[in-house]
Amino acid sequence: MQITFSAAALPKTGAIVIPVFEDGGKPGAYDDLDKASDGAIARAVKASAFKGKKGKILDIVAPAGLGNSRIILVGAGASKDFAALDAEALGGNAAGTLLAGRDKNAAIALSGLTAKKLAADELAARVAIGAKMKTYRFDKYRTKEEKDDKPVLAKIAVQTASTKAKAVFAEYDRINDGVFLTRNLVSEPANVLYPDSFAKQCQALSKLGVKVKVLGEAEMKKLGMGSLLGVGQGSVRESKLVAMEWLGGKKGDAPVALVGKGVTFDTGGISLKPGPGMEDMKWDMGGAGAVTGAMAALAGRKAKANVIGVIGLVENMPDGNAQRPGDVVKSMSGQTIEILNTDAEGRLVLADALWWTQETYKPSVVIDLATLTGAIIVSLAHEFAGMFTKDDKLAKQLDAAGAAVGDKLWRMPLTKTHDEMIKSDIADMQNIGGKGAGSSTAAAFLGRFIQEGVSWAHLDIAGMAWKTKDAPTCPKGGSGYGVRLLDEYVRANHEG
Ligand code: BES
Ligand code: MN
Ligand code: ZN
């Protein structure tokens, strides 16, 4: 998708998108085109229920007197409230309509449109990135798609008086590269994306200046990572640990560490999951996907911060060699774990990934992301990721970052009681907590692998990594949740 910015007159062919506020604000193009079409636009508005409400669309096809294929009016809601995320949603909604049509070329008219909370350059860049986000498709395995079902949209020209929009957009586009990378990783089936092939995709980030290190099973065994290795021992695929280093900040500044759960397929292991819906567990690497995408975003825009991304990659399979319920494993931290359910595997992977990260990089902040529990979906559905932290300042910072980019978070409880729920009869802890508060006991388990003085938050993204229906800036499928959140968190708190 090519996106350009210019103040030039609108093209006489192709589709034209015109945002309309419900309080009457609109770009100059509205009246110009209405006049040129002898009032066709005003007549269409009168004949329809279109009032400029947020998200509403009036698609005027083949307007009389114009060479344009269609005029698409997009509702923008109240102009006084219109902010960055509304502009993105508007761009996304417009793109959704364009993608369903047959136009190769489209223009979005913004000249003359003003919103109190948004400068012209931000307005144009946000509309454009919202549109681009909606154009994502994962279609590499479709060989027989009907021609009419395949989008043809190739170019969007954004009409704006702003001269800075292009540069602002370019930065958002680098972040979006990370979002698209994550969507790709999450969408890949598990026969294609497994620990080794995932690690190879990480290695490709070296072209952005990211230093990538990959540990295999022999190295992890030497390091004593019995917890992570136990999960992967039933799989024929070798487990991997990948570290991605982006050192764009001051030399010697303690880094921020992002740690991701990368279970490339979760059958549950010997505690086998039921069949229906098990295919969803191809995206049980969503946390690792988000960390990888975030590293691509940070490096892509050359963030002035030191950030380390670490992902634990394993496949959880039932097999003659798989670990059993009742097994006891020893983690790299030295702590022992009684495995009571082999399906509570994500925390076992993170236990060693978190410990290794702290030992190796001495980070000041650790944020882990994981599709960790079904229970978080019971609590928060697909609206929020669950945030678990004892650090109020970090909670505030993450909340603010999430709200700014639309990756929403809701803070959940993490207390001593939850920690007591994972006491084991024969080891230092057990990997499940008994009845109730499943997301909090999972977080408490992770907390046992966080070292003194490290500021830590755990984000349970089980409900967010995958969308089962279209959203304004995201078609159904892998969402890329977390990439923009992490990028914004770093930008707002660790740069400059
Ligand atoms: N990967 C799952 C969690 C999950 C469930 C993610 C549904 C996305 C959608 C995780 O490994 C798991 O199986 N968790 C168990 C924990 C239980 C055994 C304590 C769960 O949530 O049922
Ligand atoms: Mn599981
Ligand atoms: Zn899992």
Side-chain angles (χ1 to χ4, degrees), residues 261 263 266 273 281 284 343 345-346 371-372:
K261 166 181 173 182
V263 176
D266 181 14
K273 285 184 182 295
M281 288 301 111
D284 206 20
D343 197 12
E345 85 297 341
T371 50
L372 204 62

Side-chain angles (χ1 to χ4, degrees), residues 376 379-380 383-400 402-403 407-416 418 439-440 443 455-460 464 481 485:
I376 201 70
S379 302
L380 303 174
E383 256 319 280
F384 304 92
M387 168 170 59
F388 301 80
T389 181
K390 290 179 178 158
D391 187 323
D392 292 343
K393 184 175 146 208
L394 183 57
K396 245 193 183 151
Q397 292 170 332
L398 285 167
D399 243 336
D407 283 353
K408 292 196 277 182
L409 290 169
W410 197 271
R411 191 171 180 185
M412 300 287 289
L414 172 56
T415 68
K416 201 157 169 263
H418 298 118
S439 306
S440 291
S455 185
W456 162 69
H458 156 59
L459 309 182
D460 193 336
M464 306 306 288
Y481 180 96
L485 167 71

Side-chain angles (χ1 to χ4, degrees), residues 297-435:
L298 291 163
R301 69 170 180 79
K302 301 206 180 342
K304 291 189 178 57
N306 297 334
V307 185
I308 310 292
V310 174
I311 58 178
L313 300 172
V314 305
E315 185 180 54
N316 187 21
M317 299 291 271
D319 174 79
N321 193 44
Q323 75 181 347
R324 295 146 289 257
D327 283 4
V328 174
V329 296
K330 189 166 189 170
S331 67
M332 184 187 172
S333 71
Q335 301 177 91
T336 57
I337 305 160
E338 182 187 13
I339 312 291
L340 289 182
N341 189 322
T342 65
D343 197 12
E345 85 297 341
R347 64 200 75 181
L348 298 170
V349 173
L350 287 172
D352 281 336
L354 286 166
W355 193 263
W356 181 81
T357 301
Q358 295 164 94
E359 288 290 291
T360 310
Y361 296 104
K362 306 289 174 207
S364 54
V365 182
V366 174
I367 301 167
D368 78 76
L369 287 86
T371 50
L372 204 62
T373 66
I376 201 70
I377 306 177
V378 176
S379 302
L380 303 174
H382 305 283
E383 256 319 280
F384 304 92
M387 168 170 59
F388 301 80
T389 181
K390 290 179 178 158
D391 187 323
D392 292 343
K393 184 175 146 208
L394 183 57
K396 245 193 183 151
Q397 292 170 332
L398 285 167
D399 243 336
V405 301
D407 283 353
K408 292 196 277 182
L409 290 169
W410 197 271
R411 191 171 180 185
M412 300 287 289
L414 172 56
T415 68
K416 201 157 169 263
T417 328
H418 298 118
D419 185 73
E420 282 161 6
M421 288 167 78
I422 54 171
K423 270 191 187 148
S424 160
D425 289 338
I426 72 157
D428 296 335
M429 70 195 88
Q430 58 190 39
N431 79 325
I432 54 172
K435 278 214 165 69

Side-chain angles (χ1 to χ4, degrees), residues 19 32 70 84 124 144 188 196 208 233 238 277 315 373 393 408 459 488:
D32 296 348
R70 59 214 290 202
K144 296 183 169 184
E188 281 290 0
D196 186 54
L208 298 173
Q233 80 186 32
E238 187 185 351
E315 185 180 54
T373 66
K393 184 175 146 208
K408 292 196 277 182
L459 309 182
E488 174 63 18

Side-chain angles (χ1 to χ4, degrees), residues 67 71 75 105 119 125 133 175 215 243 246 269 307-308 311 394 411 413 420 439-440 445 457 469 476 483:
I71 306 289
N105 297 302
M133 288 177 83
I175 300 166
L215 275 60
W246 171 255
V307 185
I308 310 292
I311 58 178
L394 183 57
R411 191 171 180 185
E420 282 161 6
S439 306
S440 291
F445 181 96
K469 54 178 201 275
K476 78 176 182 193
V483 173

